[in-house]
């Protein structure tokens, strides 16, 4: 099995092939068909016929099916070509290649340079390989596996030592984060013992902030993969609005449930303000983490799972206990 590419190499230019049928837009269909019949074996990809002008600018494509079903073979290729093209550039991220192929129903993606010059094609088998690798990679990273994804995770014969090495680092980080959270709670033991209902709602607070953060992180990582020129300011502005609305509605509902189950108004008020602030903090953490990692040339997907959860959990507990202490008057 072919090994996956490093993150810095995950581009269209690294995945394309150049042995594909390329003709002039002025060639006739008969000339193209005769040439393909004689020399089809020399091509790595034969899904589409690519048409260029005199300066090698990609101007259109013809599917093999359209070529064969057209009766009048004296027509020029430009008469039946598709000119509204979906293309990628050499530096296009490979995750976007998969998105382009699936969303437009294409078997292969042509690659062009900045001037529109034809460079090559990313064929369907490579697109499927990328798709399979990216799905595995994202699943493993969400699960906290601290390693590049390759054959070792698609085989049942991986050694126990190797599996332990790749999974242990995130768990150790999780223990450190959990210890910090426990130390934080220990500072408020007197408060919690005097108002035991506060302790019973800690799982609710942590779960809600983690859930909101996970949603946010999944969306921004997908947006960054699909749009390499993502307008960060516009995206953050929208995310702030969404987070505020979600936090307000979730906080009100949680406060209502707290009041109904405990018959304590002040507990409901604490839950509302704490959850409102916690969700906004979690959304902020999970939005900024992938952006920061990308800034430093790391794979944004590494911000998922345990790392973001640790910071989100600590922030949630700190906010919850601080709000409780403030509203209860020390």
């Amino acid at each position: 099995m072919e090994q996956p590419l490093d993150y810095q190499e995950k581009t269209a230019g690294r995945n394309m092939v150049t042995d594909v049928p390329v003709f002039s837009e002025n060639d006739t269909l008969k000339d193209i068909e005769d040439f393909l019949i004689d020399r089809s074996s020399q091509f790595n990809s034969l899904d589409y016929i690519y048409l260029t002008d005199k300066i090698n600018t990609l101007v259109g494509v013809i599917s093999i099916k359209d070529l064969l079903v057209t009766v009048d073979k004296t027509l020029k290729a430009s008469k039946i070509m598709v000119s509204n093209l979906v293309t990628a550039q050499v530096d296009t991220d490979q995750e976007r290649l998969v998105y382009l192929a699936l969303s437009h129903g294409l078997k292969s993606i042509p690659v062009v340079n900045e001037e529109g010059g034809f460079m090559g094609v990313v064929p369907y088998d490579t697109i499927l390989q990328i798709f399979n690798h990216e799905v595995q990679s994202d699943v493993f990273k969400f699960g906290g596996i601290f390693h590049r994804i390759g054959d070792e995770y698609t085989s049942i014969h991986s050694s126990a030592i190797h599996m332990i090495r790749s999974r242990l680092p995130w768990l150790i980080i999780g223990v450190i984060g959990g210890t910090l959270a426990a130390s934080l709670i220990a500072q408020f033991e007197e408060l919690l013992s005097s108002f035991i209902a506060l302790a019973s709602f800690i799982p609710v607070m942590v779960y809600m902030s983690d859930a909101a953060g996970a949603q946010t992180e999944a969306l921004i990582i997908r947006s960054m993969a699909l749009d390499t020129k993502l307008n960060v300011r516009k995206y953050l502005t929208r995310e702030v609005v969404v987070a505020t609305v979600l936090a307000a509605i979730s906080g009100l509902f949680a406060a209502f449930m707290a009041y109904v189950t405990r018959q304590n108004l002040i507990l409901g008020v604490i839950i509302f303000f704490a959850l409102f602030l916690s969700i906004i903090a979690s959304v902020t953490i999970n939005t900024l983490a992938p952006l920061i990692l990308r800034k430093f040339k790391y794979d944004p997907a590494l911000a998922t799972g345990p790392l973001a959860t640790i910071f989100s959990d600590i922030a949630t507990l700190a906010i919850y206990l601080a709000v409780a202490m403030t509203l209860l008057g020390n």
Side-chain angles (χ1 to χ4, degrees):
M1 180 183 294
E2 185 177 346
Q3 290 294 325
L5 300 171
D6 292 335
Y7 176 68
Q8 290 81 2
E9 298 177 332
K10 293 180 180 179
T11 59
R14 297 281 184 169
N15 290 287
M16 71 180 184
V17 297
T18 56
D19 294 331
V20 295
V22 182
F23 295 89
S24 167
E25 60 181 327
N26 295 316
D27 288 337
T28 66
L29 299 184
K30 185 178 186 308
D31 291 338
I32 295 175
E33 187 173 303
D34 290 343
F35 185 90
L36 293 179
I37 291 174
D38 291 338
R39 305 187 184 182
S40 60
S41 60
Q42 76 182 48
F43 300 117
N44 287 329
S45 176
L46 202 56
D47 297 314
Y48 300 101
I49 299 161
Y50 299 90
L51 305 175
T52 60
D53 60 15
K54 294 180 180 179
I55 59 173
N56 196 43
T57 300
L58 182 64
V59 294
V61 299
I62 300 174
S63 68
I64 296 296
K65 177 182 177 181
D66 289 341
L67 173 65
L68 295 177
V69 300
T70 302
V71 177
D72 187 358
K73 302 299 183 181
T74 63
L75 291 175
K76 290 186 177 181
S78 59
K79 295 298 183 180
I80 68 168
M81 73 179 185
V82 176
S83 57
N84 185 19
L85 302 178
V86 175
T87 62
Q89 293 192 341
V90 291
D91 60 349
T92 297
D93 189 276
Q94 67 177 17
E95 290 184 0
R96 181 162 177 79
L97 293 175
V98 175
Y99 169 77
L100 290 173
L102 294 179
S103 60
H104 295 280
L106 301 176
K107 296 178 181 178
S108 58
I109 302 293
V111 181
V112 298
N113 57 27
E114 293 182 357
E115 291 76 32
F118 184 67
M119 304 290 291
V121 170
V122 181
Y124 77 94
D125 54 341
T126 300
I127 292 173
L128 289 178
Q129 181 186 5
I130 293 171
F131 179 71
N132 179 61
H133 171 247
E134 291 299 332
V135 169
Q136 290 184 49
S137 179
D138 289 345
V139 168
F140 284 127
K141 286 170 182 175
F142 270 107
I145 293 180
F146 199 84
H147 197 272
R148 187 182 67 174
I149 307 305
D151 287 343
E152 63 271 20
Y153 289 111
T154 58
S155 171
I156 62 174
H157 303 296
S158 300
S159 69
I161 295 297
H162 179 84
M163 299 296 283
I164 291 171
R165 285 177 182 171
S166 61
R167 296 166 65 177
L168 186 59
W170 278 125
L171 299 180
I172 296 298
I173 293 174
V175 171
I176 295 173
T179 302
L180 292 174
S183 300
L184 178 63
I185 293 175
Q187 302 301 314
F188 295 86
E189 285 183 352
E190 183 177 347
L191 172 66
L192 294 173
S193 62
S194 63
F195 197 177
I196 196 63
L198 286 175
S200 65
F201 274 88
I202 287 179
V204 176
M205 301 297 299
V206 172
Y207 168 78
M208 290 297 295
S209 62
D210 284 349
Q215 292 174 343
T216 299
E217 193 164 24
L219 290 173
I220 190 171
I221 289 176
R222 185 186 69 169
S223 298
M224 291 167 63
L226 300 183
D227 186 0
T228 56
K229 298 180 180 179
L230 179 67
N231 188 324
V232 175
R233 179 176 298 180
K234 183 178 180 180
Y235 186 92
L236 290 177
T237 301
R238 186 192 67 180
E239 231 12 68
V240 168
V241 174
V242 172
T244 302
V245 174
L246 292 177
I249 295 175
S250 299
L252 285 172
F253 184 70
F256 172 74
M257 295 300 295
Y259 176 75
V260 169
T261 57
R262 292 294 189 273
Q263 297 296 309
N264 191 312
L265 181 60
I266 188 62
L267 176 63
V269 174
I270 292 172
I271 294 296
F272 169 74
F273 282 110
L275 189 56
F276 178 81
L277 296 174
S278 295
I279 289 179
I280 292 179
S282 181
V283 168
T284 301
I285 292 170
N286 285 274
T287 300
L288 294 179
L291 293 172
I292 293 173
L293 284 178
R294 186 177 69 169
K295 182 73 173 179
F296 289 96
K297 307 301 181 183
Y298 289 101
D299 189 341
L302 289 174
T304 59
L307 184 60
T309 300
I310 289 170
F311 287 106
S312 179
D313 288 352
I314 293 175
T316 296
L317 290 173
I319 291 171
Y320 181 44
L321 296 173
V323 169
M325 178 168 285
T326 300
L327 295 182
L328 290 173
N330 201 28

